Amino acid sequence: MAGLVTTLLFLVVCLSWGTTWLGIKMAVESVPPLTSAGLRFLIAFPLFLGFAWVRRESIFFPRKNFGFFIFVTLCYFSVPYYLLNYGEQYVASGLTALLFSSMPVFILIFSSIFLRERIFFSQVVGIAIGFGSLFMIIKTQGLHLDYSELFGVIAILVAAVMHALCYVMTKQRGAEIGVITFNTLPIGIAGLGLFMTGLALEHPDLASVTQRSWLALTYLGLVASVGGFIVYFFLLKRLSPVILSFVFIIFPVFAVLIGAWYEGTPISRQLILYSLLLLAGFAITKLPVERLLGWGR
């Protein structure tokens, strides 16, 4: 029964994060990206506060980690989520998820730089396969990469790089910080900052926001931001980090299927082939052959 529950929760994380990209796409249909990212976090913030109160956990980082707190607020929540919202104005939700699935590769690179972890040859091959497949996906999906599309793709990849850096810095400097503490105050401050910046720069007409965008923002705030994170960190205590990291390989499959259904675009054989190659390449980076066979000792 415990194994069944763990499996179901694993699928819940894959599904909730797989639908995040469509939610962002729907939100930015009538809400500008800065304002949209801010509203998402402002919706999530009270629920995180409630979790902190129930569990009697502090929402404040240790004083010695103040610089890390600023880093998390800016580089994990504020800037990357604005970039994702900006990018999805021009890039399909499924392709956004595939682009973001490159994030574990950047974790591998940053782990080598900052944590002195070894990169195996098979992982380099996996990176080459993954990014080669990603290039072919972009080429075969008809993206001409004009000014808007190009900057949309770059924005999503930069968000993936920033998240990867934050994960590695968290392992190095914030491993003792609980999940509620890690998320609550940064989400609240990022949400307020993004929303106020959006009001100043984007001048959104909130009265004209569609019901579909409000529903998407509510879903992103309550399910994806709160539910997805809580279940993910719950599983982190019960599964191997390597096994759990395959969430980042599986959720793009959900995103591609759901995005194609919503946007009414057929899934071509080329997309299926290159997507499988991409995910297989990134999976190799998580399971280096040399380590599995004991060659890396």
Side-chain angles (χ1 to χ4, degrees), residues 188-247:
I189 294 176
L192 182 61
L194 287 165
F195 181 68
M196 297 303 294
T197 305
L199 290 180
L201 300 180
E202 297 173 335
H203 307 292
D205 181 8
L206 297 181
S208 64
V209 177
T210 64
Q211 183 182 15
R212 184 164 57 186
S213 290
W214 278 122
L215 288 174
L217 286 169
T218 303
Y219 177 82
L220 289 170
L222 299 182
V223 178
S225 295
V226 179
F229 280 123
I230 295 298
V231 174
Y232 178 81
F233 283 100
F234 174 84
L235 289 174
L236 192 59
K237 297 180 179 180
R238 289 160 175 79
L239 291 176
S240 160
V242 174
I243 294 175
L244 188 55
S245 67
F246 273 83
V247 165

Side-chain angles (χ1 to χ4, degrees), residues 77-203:
F77 291 105
S78 300
V79 178
Y81 280 96
Y82 161 67
L83 293 174
L84 289 172
N85 279 262
Y86 170 82
E88 283 225 41
Q89 295 179 112
Y90 311 105
V91 180
S93 59
L95 179 56
T96 301
L98 290 172
L99 288 166
F100 196 78
S101 70
S102 64
M103 192 258 289
V105 172
F106 297 119
I107 290 179
L108 182 69
I109 295 171
F110 286 133
S111 294
S112 174
I113 296 173
F114 296 106
L115 304 180
R116 304 302 181 189
E117 295 183 2
R118 180 180 176 183
I119 296 180
F120 293 90
F121 176 74
S122 60
Q123 292 176 309
V124 176
V125 173
I127 292 172
I129 293 173
F131 281 107
S133 302
L134 190 57
F135 171 79
M136 292 305 299
I137 289 172
I138 294 173
K139 182 178 180 180
T140 58
Q141 289 307 293
L143 280 180
H144 304 296
L145 293 186
D146 58 16
Y147 179 87
S148 298
E149 290 178 339
L150 175 62
F151 276 86
V153 169
I154 292 174
I156 294 163
L157 288 175
V158 170
V161 170
M162 295 181 73
H163 266 206
L165 178 61
C166 196
Y167 275 117
V168 173
M169 290 294 100
T170 298
K171 186 175 181 180
Q172 186 181 55
R173 302 183 181 181
E176 76 283 358
I177 299 174
V179 59
I180 300 298
T181 303
F182 184 89
N183 285 277
T184 303
L185 203 55
I187 273 184
I189 294 176
L192 182 61
L194 287 165
F195 181 68
M196 297 303 294
T197 305
L199 290 180
L201 300 180
E202 297 173 335
H203 307 292

